Amino acid sequence: MLKRYKNSYLSYFLMYNFYYLSWAVFSALISVYLLGKGFKASEVSLVVSTSFLTSMIFQPVIGMLSDRFDVKKVNFVLFGLAAIGGFAFMFADNLITITIGYSFVLTLINGTNPVMEKIASSSPYQYGKIRIWGTIGYAIGSWLAGIIYQWISPAAIFVCFVITMILCIIGLLGTQTPDDLAQEKEEKTKTSTLLHNHQYLYYLIIAAIFQGITNMANTYIPAMFQNDGLPVDLVSTILSFAVLCEAPIVLFSHKFMDKLANKKLLIIAYTMITIQFLCYAFNVWLPLKVLVTLLTKHPSGMLYIMINLKIVSTLVPKEHQITALAFVQTLRNLSSIIFQNIAGQILDVSSYQVLFALSVIVIIIGFILVVFFKVPSGKDQKLFN
């Protein structure tokens, strides 16, 4: 039976479903959780941005470890430490311990994310059929966090996190390192190779703007809806449905991701978040705001995850791709720190409408960079079939 479980679809289901479910349970309602404990918006930003800072510091290290050693063993250690950290976080009761605990867990979760996405595109199964369980897991986690928060207790969220991380580890143990990732260990990763790749460096700026601004939004969208008068359990239900709205993009990724050029995909993703942020900036009718959130929040994020895989695969040699993905994640963390802190300061003295109006200006800058980005189409990569 164990032999049948090895590298089975079930093992990938458990790993992806409960990895993303755990991530959502732990972080989806962090702003609501901390504001409910009496912390200010600027203090929430401090907690979240510190997690991005520690992720930024350790991301390249985790990427290089994953390039040089068996990614399964590296992930096993990181997942185990995350579960321990999540249990300890339950007892954190002041700003310092909350900041340390949240940063510890999110650094480990963020650090494994590039490898998880790479494994999905390198596994024996079609990308969409594996990655869809991440989508479903994150949706369930977002909903579950709200239900536990509202009907059991906020602290019980972190007990749930530990349980789901253990299930993720059980799935991980059944997987097998894909051949292309195993072969990469034979080549020593040279950071200088990436630093001399000018197209890749230009792309890092585009990625940092997109991911930083959307991460900031993801932190405050739950609190924004709560500020609009919605109860926490309804907010979490909206967010879980928002995650499920990315499912068609994942399931049908093989139909369009390899066929559309990289630049066209970037334009689509940036257009989606422009519409989303404009709706928040103009504080449109609440049902319309919810609808736009469903159609753009997670679909744009999921689309960008796949775009990132495709562009890195297009611009970077195979033996350096895990490290290249890690550097994208590092810049994501750096930009998130900047945007999180600015957002917290704005919200302490102003409104969500002002925050998102200013964010639109930043998105337009990113849009202009995309227009002038000279990148190969990437139609030869065939990552999603």
Side-chain angles (χ1 to χ4, degrees):
M1 185 172 178
L2 286 176
K3 190 173 289 187
R4 290 179 60 189
Y5 178 66
K6 195 74 172 176
N7 216 32
S8 65
Y9 188 76
L10 175 62
S11 65
Y12 285 93
F13 156 73
L14 288 173
M15 183 173 71
Y16 275 88
N17 185 72
F18 288 105
Y19 170 78
Y20 283 96
L21 194 154
S22 301
W23 193 348
V25 162
F26 190 81
S27 64
L29 294 180
I30 190 63
S31 62
V32 173
Y33 175 74
L34 294 179
L35 291 171
K37 290 176 77 72
F39 293 102
K40 296 186 296 183
S42 57
E43 291 173 324
V44 174
S45 289
L46 175 65
V47 172
V48 176
S49 62
T50 301
S51 74
F52 286 121
L53 175 61
T54 54
S55 296
M56 181 186 71
I57 293 169
F58 289 101
Q59 187 72 65
V61 177
I62 294 172
M64 289 177 186
L65 287 173
S66 298
D67 270 341
R68 296 182 184 186
F69 302 103
D70 188 330
V71 294
K72 181 176 173 179
K73 293 177 181 177
V74 173
N75 280 9
F76 175 79
V77 173
L78 297 179
F79 289 165
L81 290 173
I84 295 169
F87 180 76
F89 187 78
M90 182 169 55
F91 303 101
D93 58 0
N94 60 64
L95 187 61
I96 294 175
T97 55
I98 285 172
T99 301
I100 293 172
Y102 189 77
S103 297
F104 179 77
V105 174
L106 261 291
T107 295
L108 299 173
I109 297 292
N110 286 331
T112 53
N113 187 247
V115 176
M116 293 290 285
E117 293 298 334
K118 182 66 176 175
I119 289 173
S121 65
S122 304
S123 73
Y125 308 97
Q126 192 178 78
Y127 176 88
K129 291 180 179 178
I130 295 294
R131 189 55 178 77
I132 187 62
W133 293 113
T135 296
I136 294 171
Y138 200 95
I140 294 172
S142 299
W143 171 80
L144 193 58
I147 296 300
I148 293 172
Y149 185 101
Q150 189 85 7
W151 299 105
I152 303 177
S153 77
I157 287 173
F158 308 111
V159 176
C160 178
F161 171 78
V162 173
I163 294 170
T164 55
M165 279 306 304
I166 291 171
L167 291 170
C168 173
I169 291 170
I170 291 172
L172 172 68
L173 293 174
T175 63
Q176 182 176 313
T177 304
D179 291 339
D180 62 333
L181 292 183
Q183 289 166 3
E184 287 173 18
K185 312 298 177 281
E186 299 172 7
E187 299 247 5
K188 188 175 180 179
T189 301
K190 295 180 181 178
T191 305
S192 59
T193 303
L194 298 177
L195 296 180
H196 287 94
N197 187 333
H198 296 144
Q199 284 181 308
Y200 171 72
L201 295 178
Y202 187 100
Y203 168 68
L204 286 178
I205 301 172
I206 293 171
I209 291 174
F210 186 96
Q211 295 177 317
I213 206 80
T214 53
N215 278 336
M216 177 278 293
N218 290 343
T219 298
Y220 286 107
I221 285 172
M224 178 191 70
F225 280 127
Q226 193 179 24
N227 185 65
D228 287 337
L230 299 180
V232 174
D233 55 347
L234 180 56
V235 172
S236 67
T237 300
I238 290 170
L239 295 179
S240 64
F241 275 108
V243 179
L244 289 176
C245 287
E246 76 182 34
I249 291 177
V250 177
L251 285 173
F252 297 105
S253 58
H254 63 287
K255 297 285 188 182
F256 67 91
M257 280 302 300
D258 291 322
K259 295 177 182 178
L260 293 178
N262 284 319
K263 181 181 280 193
K264 187 173 289 185
L265 289 166
L266 282 171
I267 290 172
I268 293 170
Y270 263 90
T271 300
M272 291 173 75
I273 64 168
T274 301
I275 294 169
Q276 178 192 357
F277 280 57
L278 282 172
C279 286
Y280 299 159
F282 287 105
N283 196 24
V284 298
W285 184 44
L286 184 56
L288 179 59
K289 191 186 292 188
V290 171
L291 178 62
V292 170
T293 300
L294 293 174
L295 296 178
T296 61
K297 181 178 182 290
H298 283 280
S300 64
M302 185 64 241
L303 178 61
Y304 199 87
I305 287 171
M306 295 188 291
I307 293 170
N308 185 50
L309 282 171
K310 185 178 177 182
I311 290 181
V312 169
S313 181
T314 303
L315 298 178
V316 178
K318 184 173 288 188
E319 63 270 16
H320 303 305
Q321 285 178 10
I322 295 291
T323 301
L325 290 168
F327 276 123
V328 173
Q329 194 86 336
T330 300
L331 264 293
R332 162 191 177 270
N333 294 327
L334 177 60
S335 64
S336 296
I337 292 167
I338 296 170
F339 290 126
Q340 291 284 350
N341 279 287
I342 293 173
Q345 296 298 325
I346 292 171
L347 289 176
D348 275 350
V349 299
S350 190
S351 65
Y352 290 102
Q353 290 73 49
V354 172
L355 170 63
F356 287 109
L358 293 173
S359 299
V360 170
I361 298 172
V362 178
I363 293 171
I364 291 171
I365 294 171
F367 222 129
I368 293 169
L369 290 174
V370 168
V371 170
F372 290 100
F373 186 28
K374 296 179 180 179
V375 59
S377 69
K379 292 182 180 180
D380 59 328
Q381 294 304 307
K382 306 301 179 187
L383 294 177
F384 302 94
N385 283 315

